[in-house]
Amino acid sequence: MEPPEPLKPPHPDSRAKAHHLLLASEDEANALKACIHTLDDLMQLAPSHSRCPSAKIGGDLGLCKPGVMVGEMETVVFSAPLDTLIGPIQTVHGFHLVWIKKRHLADA
């Protein structure tokens, strides 16, 4: 799945709360995607499957702000639908499955 194209870059004061799994291959991401129906499912799978240090805390990326994540992840976190599984998203780090819990888009 290609990440959605943002209408414009998010304002620097925008924030989003997201969780993710970082996986080595698209096949692994697709296999796990079939098992994830809720945020709790993703959080339970993170410690045993994700390659990211955030795996220890259920894949919690914390409160994300623009300009910190790689472009593909930023695009998804600030434009994809909330409360649903998104991905796999390919970045230089691997393949991500992302769940965006909430978002505040600041005005310019």
Side-chain angles (χ1 to χ4, degrees):
M1 173 180 188
E2 292 293 320
E5 291 296 322
L7 298 176
K8 61 182 180 175
H11 186 278
D13 292 334
S14 296
R15 299 292 182 267
K17 175 78 170 159
H19 292 252
H20 83 134
L21 299 179
L22 174 58
L23 306 156
S25 72
E26 188 171 14
D27 288 341
E28 182 183 14
N30 284 322
L32 285 174
K33 185 174 183 174
C35 302
I36 300 171
H37 305 287
T38 66
L39 176 57
D40 286 340
D41 293 341
L42 184 146
M43 292 172 66
Q44 289 177 8
L45 289 169
S48 58
H49 293 281
S50 184
R51 300 170 51 200
C52 181
S54 69
K56 297 175 186 173
I57 52 173
D60 189 348
L61 294 173
L63 202 54
C64 306
K65 63 183 183 176
V68 175
M69 296 176 282
V70 294
E72 300 90 349
M73 284 290 288
E74 182 170 296
T75 298
V76 168
V77 167
F78 287 100
S79 65
L82 298 177
D83 291 319
T84 190
L85 188 63
I86 307 296
I89 312 301
Q90 185 175 9
T91 71
V92 297
H93 303 291
F95 293 85
H96 305 256
L97 296 176
V98 183
W99 192 287
I100 305 139
K101 189 172 180 179
K102 62 182 177 179
R103 179 187 305 121
H104 168 73
L105 295 175
D107 293 330

